[in-house]
């Protein structure tokens, strides 16, 4: 759900990954054997404590991968990479695409593309989890944007739609 994943991904970008998109992709995508069960608050280990508290509500939980799965036939699991061609076959209602300008959030229940959320967006922004609100023709649906910035935090901006995207395929 965007309300859970976006704050973690946005806050981790400047603090854990030092704004290095390639490092972020390598750790979150390339270096994972099978996939993610859950992205945890450990992604925020290098962020300022006030920001971590605001994003997590003080909750601490580790990220968990799906590395210990066993296929029904007893064989080790095979990594399934989600691509535009395989996304429809996956039982995943949301897709997050890490792009240079930000995170494209796609509600697969409604569209093939979604609005990008700029990397500079305040990670304390509260986003809607309603799939219909994530239209490629509209800005990312921020429910509430926090106005205060913790000491040492990077400059924040409200969620923006960024560069216009082509219309969704129907």
């Amino acid at each position: 759900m965007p309300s859970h994943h976006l704050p973690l991904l946005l806050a981790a970008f400047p603090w854990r990954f030092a704004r290095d998109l390639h490092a972020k992709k390598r750790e979150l995508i390339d270096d994972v054997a099978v996939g993610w069960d859950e992205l945890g608050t450990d992604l925020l280990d290098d962020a300022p404590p006030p920001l971590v508290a605001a994003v997590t509500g003080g909750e601490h939980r580790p990220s968990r991968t799906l590395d210990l799965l066993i296929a029904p036939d007893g064989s080790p699991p095979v990594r399934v990479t989600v691509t535009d061609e395989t996304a429809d076959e996956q039982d995943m209602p949301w897709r997050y695409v890490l792009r240079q300008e930000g995170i494209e959030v796609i509600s697969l229940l409604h569209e093939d593309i979604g609005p990008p959320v700029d990397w500079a967006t305040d990670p304390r922004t509260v986003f809607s989890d309603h799939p219909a609100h994530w239209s490629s023709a509209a800005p990312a649906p921020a429910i509430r944007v926090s106005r205060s910035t913790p000491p040492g935090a990077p400059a924040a901006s409200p969620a923006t739609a960024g560069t216009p995207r082509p219309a969704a395929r129907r």
Side-chain angles (χ1 to χ4, degrees), residues 1-78:
M1 298 290 222
S3 64
H4 169 75
H5 290 99
L6 279 175
L8 292 173
L9 293 169
L10 290 168
F13 188 59
W15 299 104
R16 181 172 184 133
F17 299 105
R19 298 193 175 282
D20 183 343
L21 186 57
H22 295 293
K24 186 170 191 159
K25 287 180 177 180
R26 187 172 41 255
E27 183 172 329
L28 296 179
I29 300 168
D30 300 338
D31 292 349
V32 178
V34 177
W36 289 98
D37 182 33
E38 179 177 2
L39 293 177
T41 59
D42 57 324
L43 288 176
L44 308 180
D45 285 350
D46 297 326
L51 178 61
V52 174
V55 169
T56 67
E59 184 180 344
H60 298 284
R61 63 186 181 285
S63 296
R64 294 189 320 257
T65 60
L66 295 170
D67 299 343
L68 301 177
L69 293 178
I70 299 174
D73 67 359
S75 65
V78 176

Side-chain angles (χ1 to χ4, degrees), residues 81-152:
T81 302
V82 180
T83 65
D84 287 338
E85 292 77 32
T86 64
D88 290 340
E89 301 165 11
Q90 307 294 320
D91 186 25
M92 297 170 49
W94 298 95
R95 183 170 24 166
Y96 303 89
V97 182
L98 305 180
R99 301 205 181 277
Q100 193 64 40
E101 67 274 8
I103 305 166
E104 181 181 359
V105 180
I106 304 168
S107 164
L108 294 176
L109 299 174
H110 291 278
E111 298 196 41
D112 294 346
I113 61 175
V117 177
D118 191 283
W119 287 118
T121 301
D122 188 329
R124 293 165 295 155
T125 300
V126 179
F127 292 96
S128 171
D129 286 335
H130 193 290
H133 293 169
W134 289 89
S135 169
S136 61
I143 296 172
R144 183 179 74 241
V145 178
S146 176
R147 299 289 179 210
S148 61
T149 303

